[in-house]
């Protein structure tokens, strides 16, 4: 529910106050006063489906915090318990597309082209990124192992371990910037 006060924010499913406000398309000045609010249910339980969203058809989120809108940011909801120490089930999060620099130890939204979750059939997951690299002898390096690790108080969640990846097999779509509530 949207609270119509100037200083208020949306209330989440749990009743928590969110650090963003859903705004109308009429109010939206894309990437000036808002970022995309995607109806993307990024699963935090394993490689699970997300809905693809028509860029012209999404809602907009006005950020109520220290982050300035940009075309590299978006807001999406994370569903699942495998990241519940960092991201509560159902939380709305601010994400940065195509993160640069090290991803080591960061929560990321990842897509793997060949893994299909038998229950959900999707290829996306939210996990903590860890990698091992080796030099290929000419001054460059390659990943030998990538682990996408849960951060949950439920010990039944296991890391997704990927070895000897080919180019384009795993894509880090975005990194977590902030849990918005």
């Amino acid at each position: 529910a949207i609270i119509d006060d100037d200083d208020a924010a949306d209330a989440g499913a749990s009743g928590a106050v969110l650090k963003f406000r859903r705004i109308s398309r009429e109010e939206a000045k894309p990437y000036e006063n808002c970022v995309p609010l995607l109806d993307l249910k990024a699963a935090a339980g394993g490689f699970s489906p997300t809905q693809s969203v028509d860029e012209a058809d999404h809602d907009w989120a006005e950020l109520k915090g220290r982050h300035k809108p940009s075309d590299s940011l978006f807001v999406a909801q994370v569903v699942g318990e495998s990241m519940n120490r960092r991201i509560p089930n159902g939380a709305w999060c601010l994400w940065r597309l195509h993160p640069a620099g090290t991803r080591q130890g960061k929560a990321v939204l990842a897509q793997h082209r060949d893994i299909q979750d038998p229950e959900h059939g999707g290829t996306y997951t939210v996990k903590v990124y860890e990698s091992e690299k080796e030099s290929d002898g000419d001054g460059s390096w390659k990943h030998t192992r990538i682990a996408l690790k849960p951060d949950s108080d439920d010990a039944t969640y296991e890391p997704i371990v990927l070895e000897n990846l080919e180019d384009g097999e795993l894509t880090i779509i975005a990194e977590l910037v902030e849990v918005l509530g």
Side-chain angles (χ1 to χ4, degrees), residues 76-164:
Q77 188 176 34
V78 176
V79 176
E81 294 292 336
S82 76
M83 289 292 292
N84 65 19
R85 287 187 189 153
R86 291 184 193 212
I87 307 171
N89 185 4
W92 290 93
C93 298
L94 182 63
W95 297 91
R96 177 172 291 110
L97 287 168
H98 313 296
T102 184
R103 299 173 186 126
Q104 199 76 350
K106 294 181 180 178
V108 298
L109 172 61
Q111 179 182 25
H112 190 282
R113 69 173 186 212
D114 294 329
I115 293 178
Q116 294 291 315
D117 182 299
E119 182 178 7
H120 302 290
T123 60
Y124 294 88
T125 191
V126 174
K127 296 285 184 284
V128 176
Y129 181 96
E130 286 189 9
S131 70
E132 295 172 12
K133 300 179 236 181
E134 69 180 23
S135 173
D136 64 6
D138 66 2
S140 60
W141 52 267
K142 68 176 186 169
H143 291 285
T144 56
R145 181 177 183 273
I146 294 176
L148 301 173
K149 296 184 168 189
D151 189 3
S152 179
D153 56 20
D154 180 344
T156 63
Y157 288 103
E158 305 227 353
I160 298 166
V161 178
L162 305 164
E163 295 179 333
N164 302 315

Side-chain angles (χ1 to χ4, degrees), residues 6 8 21 32 50-51 56 58 65 73-74 80 91-92 113 116 123 137 143 181:
D6 286 342
R21 181 176 73 93
E32 290 179 37
T50 60
Q51 298 176 0
H58 55 69
L73 298 175
F74 67 95
W92 290 93
R113 69 173 186 212
Q116 294 291 315
T123 60
H143 291 285

Side-chain angles (χ1 to χ4, degrees), residues 61-83:
E62 177 183 64
L63 302 176
K64 292 184 166 267
R66 62 186 182 271
H67 302 285
K68 182 179 176 187
S70 80
D71 61 2
S72 67
L73 298 175
F74 67 95
V75 173
Q77 188 176 34
V78 176
V79 176
E81 294 292 336
S82 76
M83 289 292 292

Side-chain angles (χ1 to χ4, degrees), residues 25 37 53-60:
R25 288 188 181 94
L37 176 64
V53 178
D54 182 345
E55 292 260 333
D57 226 11
H58 55 69
D59 289 333
W60 294 93

